Amino acid sequence: MKIKQTPLVILNFKTYLESTGEKGRDLAKALEEVSEETGISMVAAPQGADLWRLSREVEIPVLAQHIDPVDAGGHTGSMLAECAMAAGAAGTLINHSEQRMQLADIDNVVSKMNSMDMTSVVCTNNIQTSAAAAALNPDFVAIEPPELIGSGIPVSQAEPEVVEGSVAAIKDINPQVKVLCGAGISTGDDMKAALELGSEGVLLASGIILASDPKQALLDLVSKI
C-alpha cells in the first residue's frame, strides 16, 4: 500500500544501537504515539532484521532502508523486494548517501516498487540528481546534501536554494512526485522551514534517535505545523 498522507515524517533508524532490537521497538512505538496524538503521518525505516517484528507491533508504516536490484535466486546477502514486502515493509528508501546506487539500479527498484504497489523514496544530493530521480516516477524524492547529514545543520537553513531548486525541477518533470527534505533536520523550526520551502515532509535520523527523549523530540519536531 502506497504512503500518501502528508506532511510526512520518515525516521531512518540506520544502525544505531539506540534504534536496534528492543530500543528500535520503543522508538517505533514513540513514532506511533506521536502520530496518534498529532495526526501527522510518521514512518519508521528500521534495519532489515527488525522489519518483520516492528511491522507487527505498530500500526504506522515501516520502510526498508535499502532493497537490492535483484530477482529471486542466488543473491546471498541481498535484500529482495518480495522478502521486504512479506516482512511487512510498505516500501523502501533508495540511493541513500550511505548506500549509493547506479541510475539503472535505482530505476529497477523504483519500477519494482510501483509494480508491487509499494512506496519508493529516492534520496538525492543536489538539484540535478533530484530532476533525474523525478523522471523515474518514484513516490518521493528526499533531498539530502551529504555534507550536512548528521551535522546538526539543517539543509532548509544552510542550503535553502537546493530545496527550492529541487522542488521546482522535480515538479517541472513530474508534478506527482512529492519532495522531502533531509540532512540535519531535528527541530520544529527546521521542519517548518522545510515545508515553507516547498517540501511535503522530512527524512531524518540522528537528531531524533540520539535525543535524550525521542518522543518529546518528535513532538517538538511537529509542534509548529
Side-chain angles (χ1 to χ4, degrees):
M1 183 71 68
K2 295 277 191 180
I3 296 169
K4 296 180 179 179
Q5 182 181 341
T6 57
L8 179 68
V9 174
I10 300 177
L11 184 62
N12 179 8
F13 285 24
K14 298 196 175 183
T15 57
Y16 291 107
L17 291 177
E18 289 84 354
S19 56
T20 297
E22 288 290 333
K23 292 182 178 179
R25 183 191 66 84
D26 293 343
L27 191 58
K29 287 286 189 182
L31 282 164
E32 182 177 50
E33 289 169 7
V34 173
S35 181
E36 291 171 348
E37 291 172 18
T38 66
I40 303 297
S41 183
M42 301 270 170
V43 177
Q47 297 173 60
D50 285 332
L51 273 173
W52 173 274
R53 176 185 186 182
L54 295 191
S55 71
R56 279 148 182 78
E57 294 206 14
V58 295
E59 295 297 323
I60 60 170
V62 296
L63 297 178
Q65 293 181 3
H66 171 76
I67 284 176
D68 290 287
V70 298
D71 294 321
H75 303 285
T76 300
S78 296
M79 172 63 82
L80 184 70
E82 289 81 357
C83 183
M85 185 180 195
T92 186
L93 304 181
I94 301 169
N95 193 50
H96 190 274
S97 65
E98 296 160 0
Q99 191 68 262
R100 285 291 186 221
M101 300 170 68
Q102 297 294 318
L103 185 61
D105 293 336
I106 297 171
D107 186 28
N108 178 299
V109 177
V110 170
S111 296
K112 181 162 281 191
M113 291 296 98
N114 286 335
S115 71
M116 297 171 67
D117 197 32
M118 297 174 74
T119 300
S120 52
V121 182
V122 178
C123 300
T124 59
N125 61 353
N126 56 40
I127 295 172
Q128 291 76 18
T129 57
S130 297
L136 302 179
N137 200 34
D139 298 292
F140 296 91
V141 169
I143 176 69
E144 292 189 302
E147 66 273 14
L148 298 180
I149 292 176
S151 68
I153 305 170
V155 61
S156 58
Q157 295 180 24
E159 299 183 21
E161 68 283 354
V162 174
V163 180
E164 291 177 314
S166 294
V167 170
I170 288 166
K171 295 300 183 180
D172 184 56
I173 290 172
N174 189 339
Q176 301 305 311
V177 176
K178 297 179 174 66
V179 184
L180 303 178
C181 185
I185 302 292
S186 61
T187 70
D189 286 333
D190 298 339
M191 184 159 183
K192 181 173 182 287
L195 297 180
E196 289 174 347
L197 291 171
S199 74
E200 295 176 75
V202 295
L203 171 63
L204 70 167
S206 59
I208 301 298
I209 294 169
L210 302 180
S212 57
D213 185 341
K215 181 179 178 180
Q216 187 57 51
L218 285 166
L219 288 169
D220 291 343
L221 179 75
V222 299
S223 63
K224 298 188 176 182
I225 58 173

